[in-house]
Amino acid sequence: MSADSRLTICQISDIHCGSPYFIPDLLERSILEINELDPTAVVVSGDLTDAGYRQEFERAAEYIRRFQCERMMVIPGNHDSRNVGYIHFERLFGERYSIVDFEEAVMVGVDSSEPDLNDGRVGREHYEFIRRSFSGAGDKLKIFVVHHHLLPIPGTGRERNIIFDAGDILELLDEVGVDLVLSGHKHVPYSWKLENMFIVNAGTASTTRLRGNTRPCYNIVEIEDGRVRVFRKYPFKERELTVDFDPRTHAYWRREDRIVDSEIPVTSE
Ligand SMILES: [Fe+2]
Ligand SMILES: [Fe+2]
């Protein structure tokens, strides 16, 4: 990554158009806020719909068209592959596996969904695509986008739906030097550091399908002078820094979210 680059990548996830928990004001506000940032790229990391139906996809596409950004990456989530929803996805958004490559970063997005299942997988048949897509990236920031989480997320109850081949994928991402993973699915924002990778999970931007005390939010990734900062932004409200790292030196700061502790009432003896 060149030293003088400045860019903003916004990640919005789990918008769930068609869900009874979908709040249009939250999505409209998020789009407005993101457009005001004049983003270099926008990532929509799956679960655009609730059940994969045509009318839900068309509504999602209407919203997504409002992003004023040339570089869009949209990938499906498990809800989008219900009821053969991937047909509508491909018609409206194109390939389910995509690359957004620009001067400062390479973003590779994959479809981890399986028809009518909540579980996910990437699949060995796609490993070569991932390896090849990052192979010419040089010192650009390498970003991998996938709907399902690759590591457990605290505060989400019984663990389930980590992609079946998470171990193989994590090793592959480490091997090709991925700096940042952007995922969603659990509706709980969180970040992990593994080797030299930051694995950042987005919350749901526009629904009240929330666990515990989490709030609707999306992610803003700012890259300036080679340094990467990830902010969690609450529509209508504040933003907070969650990760700050330098991919060249691997120096980093990570916010200590104590999701589990914060939900246990404190009692005095
Ligand atoms: Fe979701
Ligand atoms: Fe999901």
Side-chain angles (χ1 to χ4, degrees):
M1 192 166 31
S2 60
D4 57 350
S5 58
R6 280 176 184 74
L7 66 143
T8 303
I9 299 169
C10 294
Q11 180 204 6
I12 190 165
S13 197
D14 296 84
I15 60 176
H16 283 287
C17 292
S19 162
Y21 300 98
F22 173 69
I23 310 290
D25 277 1
L26 285 172
L27 186 52
E28 283 166 20
R29 177 68 186 190
S30 300
I31 293 168
L32 196 78
E33 290 176 1
I34 288 171
N35 284 342
E36 278 177 3
L37 295 174
D38 189 21
T40 315
V42 172
V43 172
V44 185
S45 51
D47 281 0
L48 283 52
T49 68
D50 198 48
Y53 292 130
R54 178 196 296 264
Q55 66 275 16
E56 296 177 347
F57 267 112
E58 280 168 0
R59 194 167 181 204
E62 277 171 32
Y63 282 114
I64 290 168
R65 276 196 287 268
R66 293 189 206 170
F67 284 111
Q68 292 159 10
C69 182
E70 280 176 27
R71 299 183 188 94
M72 295 292 302
M73 172 174 279
V74 185
I75 60 161
N78 53 305
H79 282 254
D80 305 322
S81 289
R82 292 180 179 174
N83 302 302
V84 201
Y86 41 87
I87 299 286
H88 305 302
F89 181 95
E90 288 173 346
R91 176 172 55 86
L92 290 162
F93 302 105
E95 295 285 328
R96 292 177 286 114
Y97 300 80
S98 56
I99 305 168
V100 175
D101 189 348
F102 49 103
E103 201 181 330
E104 302 89 349
V106 176
M107 307 195 308
V108 178
V110 300
D111 175 13
S112 57
S113 69
E114 294 275 280
D116 296 318
L117 292 180
N118 287 329
D119 299 301
R121 67 188 273 276
V122 174
R124 284 177 295 168
E125 65 274 28
H126 299 294
Y127 294 0
E128 191 47 38
F129 163 74
I130 295 167
R131 194 175 275 118
R132 202 176 52 242
S133 302
F134 285 119
S135 66
D139 60 355
K140 294 180 185 183
L141 192 74
K142 299 177 194 71
I143 302 173
F144 182 70
V145 183
V146 61
H147 176 67
H148 290 83
H149 53 308
L150 295 175
L151 291 175
I153 308 291
T156 59
R158 184 182 174 122
E159 184 49 56
R160 59 194 186 282
N161 304 153
I162 284 183
I163 60 172
F164 293 153
D165 50 347
D168 294 340
I169 286 293
L170 286 167
E171 187 181 63
L172 173 61
L173 299 181
D174 183 44
E175 176 198 320
V176 299
V178 163
D179 302 293
L180 182 63
V181 177
L182 300 175
S183 54
H185 183 60
K186 296 301 283 189
H187 298 194
V188 171
Y190 201 75
S191 65
W192 284 117
K193 181 179 188 297
L194 183 74
E195 302 295 348
N196 292 322
M197 264 186 306
F198 284 88
I199 300 174
V200 174
N201 212 67
T204 169
S206 55
T207 79
T208 52
R209 286 180 54 146
L210 298 163
R211 290 189 163 91
N213 293 322
T214 54
R215 294 187 276 156
C217 59
Y218 59 90
N219 288 328
I220 301 168
V221 182
E222 288 185 355
I223 299 131
E224 190 169 357
D225 297 328
R227 193 162 160 188
V228 182
R229 290 185 185 86
V230 183
F231 296 88
R232 190 174 300 156
K233 177 70 177 73
Y234 302 98
F236 295 100
K237 301 212 168 70
E238 79 283 7
R239 72 179 196 175
E240 56 195 12
L241 184 64
T242 58
V243 167
D244 182 345
F245 69 99
D246 188 326
R248 299 160 301 186
T249 63
H250 305 305
Y252 75 97
W253 174 90
R254 175 178 160 259
R255 178 190 166 86
E256 290 192 11
D257 286 301
R258 294 295 178 219
I259 292 173
V260 178
D261 284 354
S262 70
E263 290 171 10
I264 299 171
V266 177
T267 53
S268 54
E269 296 188 58

